[in-house]
Amino acid sequence: MRCRTAAPVALLLTLTACTTGPSLENRAEVTASPGDSKHLTIGSAGFTESDLLAQMYAQLLGQAGYQTSLITVANREIYEPALESGQIDVVPEYAATFADWLNAKTNGPDARPVGSPGLVATMTALRRLATPRGLTVLDPGRAVDQNAFAVTAAYARQHHLRTLSDLGASKLEVRLAAGDECVQRPYCEPGLKKVYGIDITGVDPKGVGTTQAKRAVQNGQDQMVLTTTTDATLDQFGLVLLADDKHLQNADYVVPVVNRSRAGSERVTKALGKLNDVLTTADLATMNQEVDSWRRLASDVARTYLKDKGLVK
């Protein structure tokens, strides 16, 4: 759901030729000494939030004295091997999602998921999987982009709903606007039923956080929509999030992932770590809105934010 925009064909062809990272017998060499290349390439997955994060990373690294360039590859199957091989040096990722992706790549598509609602457990699993591939996962900050569920503000007021537990206790029948995979994903219909006791009568396959899905809830066709915690358009549809008070969703905190041999230095870690003290989920939602609704450039929004926080001049 996070890779939405197609990358240029020429770029895809270039990166498709990347190796898939060091062989298992050589990975100890890759992780032996952190590198500090003067020029760093920052990758974006091609959707607004990823573009914003990549821009902030580039500007923070530029402030720290690095030459930087940005590249967009809207496909994790392509940009992750490029990160391993050093064609991309830094990418913004999401802890639980990336942990499960690397786990499936390492142990097969049927491997038991390692991402969980617990941040410590998720980060431990992620780093265990990333390190042999020559990747270093830096510390997460406060910002998290998790799956989330929204209802209309009027519906919430009428039924006294603030949390998903409230919705389960209400015994209301709920038709859910979401992606068609929701019927199988543990964080979606099965989890809502098992963890919260919510009576999901059906899943309306209109996508995750799409305009069509939100309108379906706005007009009463559906009662709830699957979106994300950094969705900045909810107010436009009269929607409010219900709190995930029992922590059904995985710990998808924003984390920088770097190629250790090129960008594993303490200087890179320090530069990117400056975001950890300031960037919040609400900040990301606001910046997403500025790009998507106000049509501002991601680079300008990122620079304004970093200047306002005193992180760049």
Side-chain angles (χ1 to χ4, degrees), residues 16 42 60 88 147 164 169 212 216 225-226 246 249 257 274 295:
T16 301
I42 295 91
L60 286 169
I88 296 175
N147 296 297
L164 290 171
Q212 184 183 23
V225 60
L226 170 62
K246 292 184 179 179
Q249 302 306 320
V257 182
K274 291 181 178 180
R295 302 303 179 190

Side-chain angles (χ1 to χ4, degrees), residues 105-300:
K105 181 177 180 178
T106 302
N107 300 311
D110 296 326
R112 184 176 180 179
V114 295
S116 73
L119 179 57
V120 173
T122 296
M123 287 296 296
T124 299
L126 174 54
R127 284 170 166 155
R128 184 176 64 245
L129 290 159
T131 297
R133 296 184 176 277
L135 306 179
T136 296
V137 183
L138 305 186
D139 289 341
R142 300 154 62 192
V144 57
D145 187 353
Q146 294 172 306
N147 296 297
F149 297 91
V151 299
T152 65
Y155 185 84
R157 286 194 302 270
Q158 179 184 357
H159 300 289
H160 309 288
L161 306 176
R162 301 182 72 177
T163 68
L164 290 171
S165 288
D166 292 339
L167 183 56
S170 73
K171 303 303 180 184
L172 292 165
E173 293 185 349
V174 176
R175 182 171 166 84
L176 176 63
D180 53 10
E181 73 278 3
C182 178
V183 296
Q184 297 177 325
R185 296 286 175 86
Y187 67 81
C188 204
E189 181 182 1
L192 291 173
K193 289 180 175 180
K194 180 179 180 180
V195 175
Y196 288 107
I198 297 173
D199 184 7
I200 304 293
T201 60
V203 173
D204 188 2
K206 285 184 163 57
V208 179
T210 62
T211 297
Q212 184 183 23
K214 292 170 192 171
R215 284 179 177 161
V217 176
Q218 183 183 37
N219 65 28
Q221 178 182 344
D222 300 325
Q223 287 72 51
M224 188 162 68
V225 60
L226 170 62
T227 182
T228 67
T229 53
T230 58
D231 188 335
T233 66
L234 296 178
D235 286 347
Q236 299 174 24
F237 298 90
L239 303 177
V240 294
L241 293 179
L242 296 180
D244 179 23
D245 53 309
K246 292 184 179 179
H247 307 293
L248 172 63
Q249 302 306 320
N250 283 345
D252 261 329
Y253 284 76
V254 174
V255 290
V257 182
V258 305
N259 178 289
R260 181 180 174 89
S261 66
R262 289 183 50 81
S265 71
E266 182 62 29
R267 192 156 65 110
V268 169
T269 299
K270 184 177 180 180
L272 297 181
K274 291 181 178 180
L275 269 184
N276 289 359
D277 294 332
V278 298
L279 185 64
T280 67
T281 303
D283 291 343
L284 273 180
T286 298
M287 286 189 282
N288 285 338
Q289 183 179 39
E290 291 180 26
V291 174
D292 291 337
S293 299
W294 304 355
R295 302 303 179 190
R296 294 187 62 195
L297 294 175
S299 57
D300 293 340

Side-chain angles (χ1 to χ4, degrees), residues 19-24 26-31 80-86 98-99 101-108 126-136 257-261:
T19 64
T20 56
S23 61
L24 286 172
N26 292 330
R27 283 180 183 166
E29 299 175 17
V30 175
T31 59
E80 189 278 330
L83 181 63
E84 289 189 27
S85 69
F98 196 46
W101 193 89
L102 285 180
N103 187 42
K105 181 177 180 178
T106 302
N107 300 311
L126 174 54
R127 284 170 166 155
R128 184 176 64 245
L129 290 159
T131 297
R133 296 184 176 277
L135 306 179
T136 296
V257 182
V258 305
N259 178 289
R260 181 180 174 89
S261 66

Side-chain angles (χ1 to χ4, degrees), residues 22-127:
S23 61
L24 286 172
E25 61 269 23
N26 292 330
R27 283 180 183 166
E29 299 175 17
V30 175
T31 59
S33 56
D36 194 22
S37 300
K38 294 180 179 179
H39 184 281
L40 298 175
T41 300
I42 295 91
S44 165
F47 59 95
T48 297
E49 188 169 291
S50 188
D51 289 344
L52 283 163
L53 290 164
Q55 286 286 349
M56 286 190 283
Y57 290 0
Q59 292 175 29
L60 286 169
L61 290 167
Q63 180 82 9
Y66 293 93
Q67 293 181 314
T68 63
S69 57
L70 283 86
I71 193 169
T72 298
V73 188
N75 187 315
R76 190 177 277 115
E77 284 77 8
I78 296 176
Y79 75 66
E80 189 278 330
L83 181 63
E84 289 189 27
S85 69
Q87 286 189 279
I88 296 175
D89 303 307
V90 185
V91 296
E93 264 293 356
Y94 300 89
T97 295
F98 196 46
D100 284 338
W101 193 89
L102 285 180
N103 187 42
K105 181 177 180 178
T106 302
N107 300 311
D110 296 326
R112 184 176 180 179
V114 295
S116 73
L119 179 57
V120 173
T122 296
M123 287 296 296
T124 299
L126 174 54
R127 284 170 166 155

